[in-house]
Amino acid sequence: MRDQAAVTVFFLNHCNEDRIWEGWMNRYGRVYAPDMSFPASIYEGERIDDPIVSPLGSGATPRTVMDISAAYTYDVLP
């Protein structure tokens, strides 16, 4: 039972972190660095259109997950 409580607390904590992050992006803009103009030799795997490991599928990139409003919304943002 303790493991279930830990999983619940972990999930709720990350949900709140995502909510805070969404509020920050709404306030300051969805700016991402490094963009694709940065050299792949140094930043490969970190640029906005580089593929990432994601539960959203193999085609996910930072650009595709910057705006989650199509998947879910929050009642209140900070």
Side-chain angles (χ1 to χ4, degrees), residues 15-65:
C15 289
N16 193 45
E17 288 176 8
D18 289 345
R19 184 184 68 86
I20 291 168
W21 176 241
E22 183 66 16
W24 188 90
M25 288 192 298
N26 283 339
R27 184 171 183 179
Y28 297 107
R30 296 180 188 281
V31 178
Y32 186 90
D35 60 26
M36 292 307 284
S37 67
F38 284 69
S41 60
I42 298 172
Y43 294 98
E44 187 171 10
E46 299 176 22
R47 300 170 304 162
I48 192 148
D49 291 321
D50 286 343
I52 59 174
V53 176
S54 170
L56 301 175
S58 61
T61 66
R63 184 185 308 275
T64 63
V65 297

